[in-house]
Amino acid sequence: MADSAVPLPFVNVLTPAIPAGQPVPAVLIHGWASGSVYWEPLARKLLDAGREVWIVDLPGYHPGEELPPDFEWTLDSAAASVAAALDARSAAPAGRSAAPAARSAAPAGRPAVHLVGHSMGGSVSLTLAAARPDLVASLTLVGMAPVPQNQGFKTVLNSQLDQGFFDSGTIAKLMHAWYGDLSAADMVRLSAGFKTPVQVLSASAVAAMSGVEPSVPGRVHAPLLVIAGTGDQVRPMEQMRAFVAENPDRQLQAIPGAGHNVHWEQPEQCAQALTEFWETSWPPPA
């Protein structure tokens, strides 16, 4: 990962009214042109199950955030940014904020978190898990496997990068591929990620299309779950199955009828799959 100083991302910490089970928090990392809003249905289900949830805004994606002028947006630098925030929160004394971006402090000495990354956020999570295994209790990839990107998606993004902005027609096309039919209100809320500064959108789009360095998946030794919608138009199920089949320690949970943003469409099924995975994979056998 990047060795230079990285900006600490914004972290929204949500604490359940009645904690249950393990104290390991779930850290949700969004995909390209997305943000915290699309995690809300899943976060509510996890909170109802007694799980603490941290929702991360990747560098440059939080409204009003200004990145250092020398910050280069890559999967490595984004992963290093999240790792720095996790390090800071674990080191913070109880009751004090670990970083300006954090709303509350985590207990000191917390060893690891359950990473949950969607789409490009899955690539960030894989990169982080490979470089900093000490921070990761488990890893879940949602709507993502580290395989070659859909060529149609790459063609659309490259056309927008060439023209220097993302036009409304392309945004609508992408949103339909990701979510299917949306109400007007949900379209406005969920497409807000496209208001991210174009420099950040462009650089993170290149990162999303490039994907993880080939050695990364093999260097991840945390328990790994893939959650995929059977109707995903971005990452077909055969790609998910092929990735999981490469390693007996990987698991696949297919959600019938759901699309690319399976956590938005089927939050209850996703929450159930996550909690069962965490309960059976962590802590590891003595």
Side-chain angles (χ1 to χ4, degrees), residues 11-15 23 25 52-54 85-110:
V11 181
N12 184 14
V13 175
L14 305 175
T15 304
E52 184 173 325
V53 178
W54 302 359
L86 298 181
D87 280 334
R89 296 188 64 79
S90 293
R96 296 180 61 187
S97 178
R103 290 188 178 177
S104 64
R110 191 194 302 272

mmCIF file of all heavy atoms in Angstrom, residues 11-15 23 25 52-54 85-110:
data_model
loop_
_atom_site.group_PDB
_atom_site.id
_atom_site.type_symbol
_atom_site.label_atom_id
_atom_site.label_comp_id
_atom_site.label_asym_id
_atom_site.label_seq_id
_atom_site.Cartn_x
_atom_site.Cartn_y
_atom_site.Cartn_z
ATOM 1 N N VAL A 11 -15.764 8.527 8.828
ATOM 2 C CA VAL A 11 -16.307 7.258 9.313
ATOM 3 C C VAL A 11 -17.539 7.560 10.169
ATOM 4 O O VAL A 11 -17.447 8.272 11.167
ATOM 5 C CB VAL A 11 -15.270 6.478 10.155
ATOM 6 C CG1 VAL A 11 -15.874 5.152 10.622
ATOM 7 C CG2 VAL A 11 -13.992 6.230 9.359
ATOM 8 N N ASN A 12 -18.674 7.037 9.771
ATOM 9 C CA ASN A 12 -19.902 7.178 10.536
ATOM 10 C C ASN A 12 -20.079 5.922 11.378
ATOM 11 O O ASN A 12 -20.290 4.828 10.843
ATOM 12 C CB ASN A 12 -21.095 7.366 9.599
ATOM 13 C CG ASN A 12 -22.397 7.607 10.344
ATOM 14 O OD1 ASN A 12 -22.402 7.893 11.535
ATOM 15 N ND2 ASN A 12 -23.504 7.499 9.633
ATOM 16 N N VAL A 13 -19.964 6.065 12.700
ATOM 17 C CA VAL A 13 -20.057 4.928 13.609
ATOM 18 C C VAL A 13 -21.480 4.826 14.155
ATOM 19 O O VAL A 13 -21.995 5.763 14.762
ATOM 20 C CB VAL A 13 -19.048 5.066 14.766
ATOM 21 C CG1 VAL A 13 -19.229 3.947 15.782
ATOM 22 C CG2 VAL A 13 -17.628 5.071 14.224
ATOM 23 N N LEU A 14 -22.096 3.676 13.918
ATOM 24 C CA LEU A 14 -23.461 3.422 14.368
ATOM 25 C C LEU A 14 -23.432 2.311 15.409
ATOM 26 O O LEU A 14 -22.948 1.211 15.138
ATOM 27 C CB LEU A 14 -24.339 3.008 13.188
ATOM 28 C CG LEU A 14 -24.352 3.987 11.999
ATOM 29 C CD1 LEU A 14 -25.153 3.399 10.843
ATOM 30 C CD2 LEU A 14 -24.922 5.327 12.415
ATOM 31 N N THR A 15 -23.956 2.598 16.594
ATOM 32 C CA THR A 15 -23.900 1.657 17.709
ATOM 33 C C THR A 15 -25.292 1.118 18.011
ATOM 34 O O THR A 15 -26.245 1.890 18.127
ATOM 35 C CB THR A 15 -23.343 2.350 18.970
ATOM 36 O OG1 THR A 15 -22.063 2.907 18.660
ATOM 37 C CG2 THR A 15 -23.183 1.369 20.108
ATOM 38 N N PRO A 23 -18.020 -8.360 19.748
ATOM 39 C CA PRO A 23 -17.891 -6.907 19.691
ATOM 40 C C PRO A 23 -17.198 -6.406 18.429
ATOM 41 O O PRO A 23 -16.921 -5.221 18.308
ATOM 42 C CB PRO A 23 -17.034 -6.606 20.927
ATOM 43 C CG PRO A 23 -16.165 -7.820 21.073
ATOM 44 C CD PRO A 23 -17.043 -8.980 20.656
ATOM 45 N N PRO A 25 -16.732 -4.835 15.012
ATOM 46 C CA PRO A 25 -17.605 -4.009 14.173
ATOM 47 C C PRO A 25 -17.554 -4.432 12.712
ATOM 48 O O PRO A 25 -16.582 -5.023 12.239
ATOM 49 C CB PRO A 25 -17.036 -2.605 14.350
ATOM 50 C CG PRO A 25 -15.590 -2.829 14.642
ATOM 51 C CD PRO A 25 -15.524 -4.100 15.442
ATOM 52 N N GLU A 52 -22.359 -3.470 15.745
ATOM 53 C CA GLU A 52 -21.857 -2.121 15.533
ATOM 54 C C GLU A 52 -21.433 -1.983 14.072
ATOM 55 O O GLU A 52 -20.836 -2.897 13.491
ATOM 56 C CB GLU A 52 -20.661 -1.838 16.444
ATOM 57 C CG GLU A 52 -20.135 -0.413 16.351
ATOM 58 C CD GLU A 52 -19.056 -0.135 17.385
ATOM 59 O OE1 GLU A 52 -19.156 -0.694 18.506
ATOM 60 O OE2 GLU A 52 -18.120 0.627 17.079
ATOM 61 N N VAL A 53 -21.756 -0.842 13.473
ATOM 62 C CA VAL A 53 -21.499 -0.624 12.049
ATOM 63 C C VAL A 53 -20.705 0.663 11.862
ATOM 64 O O VAL A 53 -21.066 1.698 12.407
ATOM 65 C CB VAL A 53 -22.824 -0.544 11.254
ATOM 66 C CG1 VAL A 53 -22.545 -0.275 9.773
ATOM 67 C CG2 VAL A 53 -23.639 -1.827 11.420
ATOM 68 N N TRP A 54 -19.642 0.572 11.083
ATOM 69 C CA TRP A 54 -18.875 1.754 10.677
ATOM 70 C C TRP A 54 -19.033 1.901 9.172
ATOM 71 O O TRP A 54 -18.705 0.990 8.421
ATOM 72 C CB TRP A 54 -17.389 1.609 10.998
ATOM 73 C CG TRP A 54 -17.056 1.367 12.437
ATOM 74 C CD1 TRP A 54 -17.910 1.277 13.488
ATOM 75 C CD2 TRP A 54 -15.739 1.179 12.985
ATOM 76 N NE1 TRP A 54 -17.231 1.038 14.658
ATOM 77 C CE2 TRP A 54 -15.888 0.973 14.370
ATOM 78 C CE3 TRP A 54 -14.459 1.152 12.427
ATOM 79 C CZ2 TRP A 54 -14.804 0.750 15.220
ATOM 80 C CZ3 TRP A 54 -13.373 0.938 13.258
ATOM 81 C CH2 TRP A 54 -13.545 0.752 14.641
ATOM 82 N N ALA A 85 -7.301 4.994 9.254
ATOM 83 C CA ALA A 85 -8.444 5.294 10.124
ATOM 84 C C ALA A 85 -8.666 4.176 11.132
ATOM 85 O O ALA A 85 -8.947 4.431 12.316
ATOM 86 C CB ALA A 85 -9.699 5.500 9.278
ATOM 87 N N LEU A 86 -8.533 2.918 10.699
ATOM 88 C CA LEU A 86 -8.705 1.797 11.628
ATOM 89 C C LEU A 86 -7.605 1.791 12.681
ATOM 90 O O LEU A 86 -7.869 1.541 13.865
ATOM 91 C CB LEU A 86 -8.713 0.479 10.859
ATOM 92 C CG LEU A 86 -9.832 0.291 9.840
ATOM 93 C CD1 LEU A 86 -9.723 -1.073 9.170
ATOM 94 C CD2 LEU A 86 -11.206 0.463 10.481
ATOM 95 N N ASP A 87 -6.384 2.076 12.268
ATOM 96 C CA ASP A 87 -5.279 2.178 13.229
ATOM 97 C C ASP A 87 -5.552 3.267 14.255
ATOM 98 O O ASP A 87 -5.360 3.077 15.462
ATOM 99 C CB ASP A 87 -3.966 2.482 12.504
ATOM 100 C CG ASP A 87 -3.327 1.247 11.879
ATOM 101 O OD1 ASP A 87 -3.570 0.135 12.376
ATOM 102 O OD2 ASP A 87 -2.582 1.413 10.902
ATOM 103 N N ALA A 88 -5.999 4.416 13.775
ATOM 104 C CA ALA A 88 -6.236 5.551 14.668
ATOM 105 C C ALA A 88 -7.346 5.256 15.657
ATOM 106 O O ALA A 88 -7.250 5.580 16.841
ATOM 107 C CB ALA A 88 -6.574 6.798 13.844
ATOM 108 N N ARG A 89 -8.401 4.598 15.182
ATOM 109 C CA ARG A 89 -9.526 4.318 16.067
ATOM 110 C C ARG A 89 -9.161 3.263 17.109
ATOM 111 O O ARG A 89 -9.552 3.359 18.268
ATOM 112 C CB ARG A 89 -10.732 3.856 15.258
ATOM 113 C CG ARG A 89 -11.272 4.927 14.310
ATOM 114 C CD ARG A 89 -12.572 4.484 13.682
ATOM 115 N NE ARG A 89 -13.593 4.339 14.717
ATOM 116 C CZ ARG A 89 -14.268 5.348 15.254
ATOM 117 N NH1 ARG A 89 -14.010 6.585 14.862
ATOM 118 N NH2 ARG A 89 -15.172 5.148 16.175
ATOM 119 N N SER A 90 -8.384 2.269 16.719
ATOM 120 C CA SER A 90 -7.988 1.238 17.675
ATOM 121 C C SER A 90 -7.048 1.782 18.731
ATOM 122 O O SER A 90 -7.030 1.309 19.867
ATOM 123 C CB SER A 90 -7.316 0.074 16.939
ATOM 124 O OG SER A 90 -8.249 -0.595 16.118
ATOM 125 N N ALA A 91 -6.241 2.796 18.356
ATOM 126 C CA ALA A 91 -5.275 3.351 19.286
ATOM 127 C C ALA A 91 -5.868 4.422 20.187
ATOM 128 O O ALA A 91 -5.256 4.800 21.186
ATOM 129 C CB ALA A 91 -4.092 3.944 18.511
ATOM 130 N N ALA A 92 -7.045 4.912 19.872
ATOM 131 C CA ALA A 92 -7.622 6.018 20.634
ATOM 132 C C ALA A 92 -8.092 5.558 22.001
ATOM 133 O O ALA A 92 -8.686 4.495 22.134
ATOM 134 C CB ALA A 92 -8.796 6.613 19.872
ATOM 135 N N PRO A 93 -7.851 6.363 23.041
ATOM 136 C CA PRO A 93 -8.396 6.030 24.363
ATOM 137 C C PRO A 93 -9.913 6.006 24.312
ATOM 138 O O PRO A 93 -10.527 6.735 23.549
ATOM 139 C CB PRO A 93 -7.894 7.185 25.252
ATOM 140 C CG PRO A 93 -6.732 7.761 24.508
ATOM 141 C CD PRO A 93 -7.046 7.585 23.057
ATOM 142 N N ALA A 94 -10.503 5.141 25.084
ATOM 143 C CA ALA A 94 -11.964 5.037 25.118
ATOM 144 C C ALA A 94 -12.580 6.388 25.431
ATOM 145 O O ALA A 94 -12.131 7.118 26.298
ATOM 146 C CB ALA A 94 -12.400 3.995 26.151
ATOM 147 N N GLY A 95 -13.639 6.720 24.673
ATOM 148 C CA GLY A 95 -14.352 7.961 24.924
ATOM 149 C C GLY A 95 -13.780 9.151 24.214
ATOM 150 O O GLY A 95 -14.309 10.249 24.316
ATOM 151 N N ARG A 96 -12.679 8.987 23.444
ATOM 152 C CA ARG A 96 -12.110 10.103 22.704
ATOM 153 C C ARG A 96 -12.069 9.762 21.235
ATOM 154 O O ARG A 96 -11.910 8.608 20.855
ATOM 155 C CB ARG A 96 -10.699 10.423 23.206
ATOM 156 C CG ARG A 96 -10.665 10.886 24.644
ATOM 157 C CD ARG A 96 -9.240 11.186 25.066
ATOM 158 N NE ARG A 96 -8.674 12.244 24.248
ATOM 159 C CZ ARG A 96 -7.398 12.611 24.317
ATOM 160 N NH1 ARG A 96 -6.572 12.003 25.129
ATOM 161 N NH2 ARG A 96 -6.962 13.577 23.535
ATOM 162 N N SER A 97 -12.188 10.777 20.383
ATOM 163 C CA SER A 97 -12.184 10.559 18.956
ATOM 164 C C SER A 97 -10.786 10.273 18.464
ATOM 165 O O SER A 97 -9.822 10.938 18.845
ATOM 166 C CB SER A 97 -12.751 11.790 18.238
ATOM 167 O OG SER A 97 -12.713 11.609 16.859
ATOM 168 N N ALA A 98 -10.646 9.252 17.585
ATOM 169 C CA ALA A 98 -9.340 8.884 17.044
ATOM 170 C C ALA A 98 -8.933 9.767 15.897
ATOM 171 O O ALA A 98 -7.757 9.870 15.580
ATOM 172 C CB ALA A 98 -9.376 7.434 16.576
ATOM 173 N N ALA A 99 -9.898 10.406 15.230
ATOM 174 C CA ALA A 99 -9.589 11.218 14.068
ATOM 175 C C ALA A 99 -10.708 12.223 13.866
ATOM 176 O O ALA A 99 -11.847 11.975 14.251
ATOM 177 C CB ALA A 99 -9.453 10.332 12.831
ATOM 178 N N PRO A 100 -10.424 13.384 13.270
ATOM 179 C CA PRO A 100 -11.470 14.373 13.050
ATOM 180 C C PRO A 100 -12.644 13.818 12.258
ATOM 181 O O PRO A 100 -13.766 14.256 12.412
ATOM 182 C CB PRO A 100 -10.738 15.463 12.257
ATOM 183 C CG PRO A 100 -9.299 15.299 12.602
ATOM 184 C CD PRO A 100 -9.115 13.833 12.810
ATOM 185 N N ALA A 101 -12.393 12.818 11.401
ATOM 186 C CA ALA A 101 -13.455 12.279 10.568
ATOM 187 C C ALA A 101 -14.367 11.322 11.308
ATOM 188 O O ALA A 101 -15.414 10.951 10.811
ATOM 189 C CB ALA A 101 -12.855 11.549 9.366
ATOM 190 N N ALA A 102 -13.993 10.895 12.505
ATOM 191 C CA ALA A 102 -14.765 9.884 13.218
ATOM 192 C C ALA A 102 -15.734 10.538 14.179
ATOM 193 O O ALA A 102 -15.408 11.512 14.835
ATOM 194 C CB ALA A 102 -13.823 8.955 13.981
ATOM 195 N N ARG A 103 -16.922 9.964 14.315
ATOM 196 C CA ARG A 103 -17.939 10.548 15.182
ATOM 197 C C ARG A 103 -17.844 10.044 16.611
ATOM 198 O O ARG A 103 -18.341 10.672 17.523
ATOM 199 C CB ARG A 103 -19.331 10.240 14.623
ATOM 200 C CG ARG A 103 -19.621 10.998 13.320
ATOM 201 C CD ARG A 103 -21.060 10.822 12.909
ATOM 202 N NE ARG A 103 -21.342 11.567 11.701
ATOM 203 C CZ ARG A 103 -22.512 11.554 11.078
ATOM 204 N NH1 ARG A 103 -23.496 10.831 11.538
ATOM 205 N NH2 ARG A 103 -22.694 12.236 9.982
ATOM 206 N N SER A 104 -17.286 8.864 16.810
ATOM 207 C CA SER A 104 -17.126 8.339 18.154
ATOM 208 C C SER A 104 -15.940 7.411 18.172
ATOM 209 O O SER A 104 -15.451 6.985 17.143
ATOM 210 C CB SER A 104 -18.396 7.594 18.599
ATOM 211 O OG SER A 104 -18.615 6.475 17.782
ATOM 212 N N ALA A 105 -15.458 7.092 19.351
ATOM 213 C CA ALA A 105 -14.237 6.294 19.449
ATOM 214 C C ALA A 105 -14.539 4.830 19.660
ATOM 215 O O ALA A 105 -15.536 4.458 20.267
ATOM 216 C CB ALA A 105 -13.385 6.808 20.604
ATOM 217 N N ALA A 106 -13.672 3.991 19.159
ATOM 218 C CA ALA A 106 -13.774 2.556 19.381
ATOM 219 C C ALA A 106 -12.968 2.196 20.619
ATOM 220 O O ALA A 106 -12.034 2.894 20.988
ATOM 221 C CB ALA A 106 -13.228 1.802 18.168
ATOM 222 N N PRO A 107 -13.312 1.115 21.299
ATOM 223 C CA PRO A 107 -12.533 0.693 22.453
ATOM 224 C C PRO A 107 -11.085 0.465 22.082
ATOM 225 O O PRO A 107 -10.777 -0.038 21.010
ATOM 226 C CB PRO A 107 -13.224 -0.623 22.861
ATOM 227 C CG PRO A 107 -14.612 -0.519 22.317
ATOM 228 C CD PRO A 107 -14.477 0.259 21.052
ATOM 229 N N ALA A 108 -10.186 0.841 22.981
ATOM 230 C CA ALA A 108 -8.756 0.676 22.714
ATOM 231 C C ALA A 108 -8.409 -0.790 22.577
ATOM 232 O O ALA A 108 -8.963 -1.644 23.250
ATOM 233 C CB ALA A 108 -7.947 1.310 23.848
ATOM 234 N N GLY A 109 -7.471 -1.058 21.666
ATOM 235 C CA GLY A 109 -6.962 -2.411 21.536
ATOM 236 C C GLY A 109 -7.832 -3.354 20.735
ATOM 237 O O GLY A 109 -7.578 -4.544 20.707
ATOM 238 N N ARG A 110 -8.860 -2.841 20.070
ATOM 239 C CA ARG A 110 -9.697 -3.716 19.255
ATOM 240 C C ARG A 110 -8.825 -4.322 18.150
ATOM 241 O O ARG A 110 -8.182 -3.613 17.387
ATOM 242 C CB ARG A 110 -10.845 -2.920 18.646
ATOM 243 C CG ARG A 110 -11.910 -3.817 18.006
ATOM 244 C CD ARG A 110 -12.864 -3.038 17.111
ATOM 245 N NE ARG A 110 -13.565 -1.974 17.783
ATOM 246 C CZ ARG A 110 -14.722 -2.134 18.425
ATOM 247 N NH1 ARG A 110 -15.252 -3.331 18.529
ATOM 248 N NH2 ARG A 110 -15.316 -1.101 18.973
#
